[in-house]
Amino acid sequence: MKQFILLPLLSLLIFGAGSAQSLNFGVKAGPQITNFTHASDSKAAFLYHAGGFATVGIMDRLQAQAELLLSMSGSNNTETDYYKQRNMYLNLPLTAKFRVYDRLSVHSGFQLGYLLNAKLKITEGDLEGSYDRDDKFNRMEMAFVLG
């Protein structure tokens, strides 16, 4: 599995660095609103993501971008906020970036995510505490990215 991920990324970086117009690195961080769609008693949580990225120019307006992000996801209880589910992922988005205008671009690609931990925090009642819930979620995730 690791070879499946690293080989295309490495070949893209080597090819891109040899023929690219530029190779750029940067830091990325920001807020995100997350929720679980199949939970009837949950509402969105305001969380964060942070990490870095590398961009390689392929053609005049086309670049490849790889990111490595530490990302939080989760939800809160709709009625009382007595419980909070928090999951921490290590995400690897790999996207093609098409520059439309000078400061406007469109990204498309896929993202691999690895669950680092999943905790349920209960703040009131007899069950108050923090509980590991790693076994309730898939360790690996894959998603399509468009934006």
Side-chain angles (χ1 to χ4, degrees):
M1 181 68 174
K2 290 180 185 176
Q3 291 173 340
F4 173 73
I5 297 169
L6 293 177
L7 189 58
L9 179 62
L10 184 60
S11 62
L12 181 64
L13 289 175
I14 291 171
F15 169 75
S19 65
Q21 298 172 1
S22 64
L23 175 62
N24 298 310
F25 298 94
V27 178
K28 183 176 186 176
Q32 60 189 22
I33 298 172
T34 71
N35 198 1
F36 297 128
T37 57
H38 296 292
S40 62
D41 61 344
S42 70
K43 67 178 180 181
F46 189 74
L47 299 169
Y48 63 89
H49 66 272
F53 67 89
T55 304
V56 177
I58 297 173
M59 290 188 283
D60 184 38
R61 302 178 102 181
L62 182 64
Q63 297 175 322
Q65 183 165 312
E67 303 174 16
L68 189 60
L69 303 171
L70 185 62
S71 179
M72 295 293 295
S73 71
S75 67
N76 298 329
N77 179 273
T78 55
E79 303 277 327
T80 61
D81 275 344
Y82 289 159
Y83 79 80
K84 297 177 182 189
Q85 177 66 48
R86 297 294 184 259
N87 298 354
M88 184 180 297
Y89 288 91
L90 188 61
N91 290 329
L92 177 66
L94 303 171
T95 60
K97 179 178 168 182
F98 180 74
R99 192 177 74 240
V100 179
Y101 295 110
D102 199 24
R103 294 270 180 192
L104 178 65
S105 59
V106 177
H107 295 244
S108 178
F110 68 95
Q111 170 178 295
L112 297 173
Y114 181 76
L115 178 67
L116 298 174
N117 68 41
K119 300 266 187 209
L120 175 64
K121 296 176 185 175
I122 301 175
T123 57
E124 288 191 21
D126 293 340
L127 298 174
E128 186 174 343
S130 181
Y131 301 92
D132 286 333
R133 296 187 29 118
D134 295 346
D135 60 332
K136 303 291 183 196
F137 296 90
N138 293 330
R139 257 309 160 195
M140 293 292 294
E141 292 185 346
M142 184 173 170
F144 293 103
V145 178
L146 182 63

